[in-house]
Amino acid sequence: MANLNPINLTTGQTEYFKGVGKIRFEGPESDNPMAYRYYDEHKLVGGKTMREHLKFAVAYWHSLCGTGGDPFGPGTKAFPWLQAGDPVQQAKDKMDAAFELITKLGLPYFCFHDFDLIAEGDSLAENEKRLQTIGAYAKEKMAASGVQLLWGTANLFSHPRYMNGAATNPDFAVVTHAGAQVKMALDLTIELGGENYVFWGGREGYQSLLNTDMKRELAHMARFLHLAKDYARQQGFKGTFFIEPKPMEPSKHQYDFDSATVIGFLREYDLLDDFKLNVEVNHATLALHSFQHELQVAANAGALGSIDANRGDYQNGWDTDQFPNNILEITEAMLVILESGGLQGGGINFDAKTRRNSTDLDDLFHAHIGGIDVFARALLAADAILSKSAYRQMRRERYASFDSGDGQAFESGKLQLTDLARIAGRNGEPEIRSGKQELFENLVNRYV
Ligand code: XUL
Ligand code: CO
């Protein structure tokens, strides 16, 4: 069904998504595929609007640049905004398409890598010029639309010079180049009022330990992050830096393996005051964790910053980056997010791509609408579980023996090991207590 709620385009600007208007909330009964059933940006949930809770962002790389190429064949999507031969013109066309997409979806944010915005040139000076040109254009588009930058980052993994890593490269010449690139990406992020800055260590890891001095590489990575953080702070950047864990791919082993590994690293190198985590669903499952587990580990350290939303595939083990559609998985995630007080500084970035054979332009809308509604629905379910059900009470009761008496004394550090032995001797064999897992599962299912 057509949805033709118009949006304002600058005079003379090409409309790329013709036949698609502004996507509006129409409620669960709507049968319009170009409408939200659950995402009602102004709806209050636990004192905050859905828009504030979720802070959705469109990922520039997948949605505007990814034409569907894979190791077995080239791209399949002839995006009309990628046709210009001149790099600046192509970048501007792409940005027009990006802002049309984001505005029609009614989302508040976008995220980018430096060379998603504009093709990389053949020197640092040329790159700086190109980024400044497209940065000025972005600034105009942002002011006209009200769309903001959730985070920026630098692509330190595609160019052949980074094949042995960027900050962890064994060749200092490459490390300096990564530094130059991060400096420019930080300048651009700050110029555009970016709220956060991300480091995803694509090739910061190893292919073989035989040729790798891991201890030295980790120290270099920490030094590099300190330099980037110090520079950004000197430029007045107040936002948060995020590390995005991923266990493998493209490296065989990546140093930012999972949440626990990253938190240990940040603590060891004194970076936890400025850095938090950007947790990605499919990276969690590649690390053989659940998404909820990764969020909880980050939250325990006060470092749950942001989310890259997508999902993996149950039958294969690589980063398929599909759009989210598993309501149960996201409801369990929203429980962790709400209980830990929300994302710290970040939001929900759709680091997800339509399939190689999803070649229509409106597939980008179906993908985002589906993912957005899954998060909105999960937010409603999680809020209801926390505010209306016995969920919290049931979990608290499992720990009731620590609320008073000896259990409380143990928790507050007042007992010795000999006290535990004495109390055990006095009380005899503990009662068998059920974990009630099925009851918890049924309770959650009642609300999704
Ligand atoms: C790669 C990935 C990246 C980061 C940003 O798996 O998730 O797109 O999110 O560099
Ligand atoms: Co990501």
Side-chain angles (χ1 to χ4, degrees), residues 61-62 113 151 153-155 157 198-201 244 246 249-250 278 280 283 308 310 319 321 349 351:
W61 51 105
H62 285 310
H113 300 84
W151 51 260
T153 188
N155 179 331
F157 44 87
V198 163
F199 289 91
W200 170 60
E244 183 176 322
K246 185 174 182 181
E249 197 197 348
N278 181 34
E280 177 161 329
H283 296 179
D308 266 12
N310 55 28
D319 199 13
D321 281 345
N349 167 49
D351 192 357

Side-chain angles (χ1 to χ4, degrees), residues 61-79 81-82 320 352-359 364:
W61 51 105
H62 285 310
S63 289
L64 283 308
C65 313
T67 56
D70 70 13
F72 303 91
T76 52
K77 309 177 199 207
F79 287 151
W81 51 86
L82 298 182
T320 59
K353 55 186 174 217
T354 55
R355 299 301 84 192
R356 186 169 186 265
N357 52 348
S358 299
T359 47
L364 276 172

Side-chain angles (χ1 to χ4, degrees), residues 46-213:
K48 278 202 294 188
T49 63
M50 277 195 165
R51 191 180 164 96
E52 290 165 331
H53 272 288
L54 300 169
K55 294 179 68 181
F56 287 124
V58 165
Y60 223 88
W61 51 105
H62 285 310
S63 289
L64 283 308
C65 313
T67 56
D70 70 13
F72 303 91
T76 52
K77 309 177 199 207
F79 287 151
W81 51 86
L82 298 182
Q83 304 310 316
D86 171 61
V88 173
Q89 189 55 48
Q90 189 196 70
K92 288 185 174 173
D93 292 347
K94 188 161 43 167
M95 192 160 279
D96 288 345
F99 277 77
E100 187 189 330
L101 174 70
I102 302 164
T103 309
K104 285 185 168 173
L105 287 168
L107 300 189
Y109 291 99
F110 71 114
C111 297
F112 64 74
H113 300 84
D114 42 6
F115 301 126
D116 302 333
L117 296 181
I118 191 160
E120 184 167 5
D122 54 14
S123 70
L124 285 170
E126 172 63 17
N127 287 342
E128 183 149 45
K129 202 169 99 202
R130 288 189 185 189
L131 289 172
Q132 281 168 356
T133 305
I134 198 62
Y137 196 62
K139 227 172 165 178
E140 284 172 30
K141 306 287 290 187
M142 291 170 74
S145 62
V147 172
Q148 290 167 284
L149 175 60
L150 187 64
W151 51 260
T153 188
N155 179 331
L156 302 177
F157 44 87
S158 294
H159 194 285
R161 81 174 73 86
Y162 297 126
M163 66 182 185
N164 292 309
T168 63
N169 199 293
D171 180 357
F172 180 60
V174 178
V175 177
T176 63
H177 208 98
Q181 205 182 317
V182 166
K183 178 184 169 297
M184 287 191 280
L186 281 167
D187 288 341
L188 181 59
T189 301
I190 294 168
E191 176 69 18
L192 298 180
E195 295 185 14
N196 308 279
Y197 186 87
V198 163
F199 289 91
W200 170 60
R203 295 187 198 269
E204 312 293 23
Y206 61 80
Q207 295 298 111
S208 166
L209 254 187
L210 292 175
N211 64 5
T212 303
D213 185 337

Side-chain angles (χ1 to χ4, degrees), residues 419-439:
D419 295 317
L420 300 190
R422 176 179 50 77
I423 296 164
R426 184 186 70 204
N427 292 349
E429 186 60 29
E431 247 180 70
I432 295 290
R433 286 185 198 273
S434 170
K436 291 270 174 260
Q437 181 175 329
E438 297 77 7
L439 180 62

